[in-house]
Amino acid sequence: MKKIIAAAMALAMVLALAACGQKPVESDSFTANPGKLTMATNAAFPPYEYLEGGEIVGIDAEIAGAIAEKLGLELQIDDMEFDSIIEAVKGGKADIGLAGMTVTDERKEAVDFTATYATGVQVVIVTEDSAITSVDDLFVEGANTTIGVQRNTTGDLYCTWDIQDEGLGTVERYSKGADAVQALKTGKVDCVVIDNEPAKAFVSAIEGLKILDTEYAIEDYAGAMNKNNPELYDSVNAALQSLITDGTVQKIIDKYIPAE
Ligand code: GLN
């Protein structure tokens, strides 16, 4: 009997916690813009965020919309360089950075991450006739590969640390993933290291490119939030958690990434 009561009490506590986390944001003063949930992103990362008819759409935009709705806020999306998102969150100009952003220890020093809502994979894009046939080829002594990346993404960080700093190759940084892929097409770089979903979108839009079967790294995507706004963090994270638990997030992902 005691056990049942203890279990019931624990359940009641969990429910109470969940309920208070999902309270609408009562005071506008906690958000960057009154009455709004302001999301910072880089709308050049399909299918997570991209422009369609002048509007920012995609997985992250829809997840943010669902979070905003739960909290009784209006969603505002601010488009910027990927590189600027963490600064916008840190400076209180945006409430959440949602940008297919990988959780890393370095970023954790600057922001608090929400629950993770998706998995990303760093892949390598090459031309169809490339001599590079596996990720391991990038690490061969004397390979001297020129690798295109999007500036300050994890693809950039890993290739800089693992390959350039080890004297095994060179990293060329572009402000957009699509620009890096264009550089591959025109022979300015030998390959591009980038997240798998935008990689698929870029490769299907440009003839003569392919994605290697071997993966460079597997990572978690989460929202980036200000470290000094715990009320907002708790509300947003609880809303996201419940959207994960009730299957909404998976439904949104499946809509944009049909099962293969
Ligand atoms: N997942 C990568 C990162 O967080 C790339 C994200 C992006 O380009 N939007 O660095």
Side-chain angles (χ1 to χ4, degrees), residues 45 82 99-102 107 122 150 152-154 195 219 221:
F45 195 74
F82 180 76
M101 190 183 286
T102 305
R107 290 174 183 163
Q122 293 298 314
Q150 186 184 356
N152 259 331
T153 59
T154 45
D195 302 54
E219 29 189 44
Y221 290 168

Side-chain angles (χ1 to χ4, degrees), residues 18-28 31 35-37 63-74 95-96 225 231-240 242-243:
C20 79
Q22 274 170 55
K23 247 193 337 205
V25 179
E26 271 155 19
S27 167
D28 288 337
T31 59
K36 292 185 175 174
L37 180 73
I63 291 175
I67 294 171
E69 198 184 312
K70 263 194 187 292
L71 301 179
L73 297 168
E74 187 194 327
D95 300 311
I96 185 166
M225 295 191 68
E231 292 89 353
L232 184 66
Y233 176 90
D234 290 345
S235 304
V236 167
N237 197 40
L240 174 61
S242 78
L243 292 164

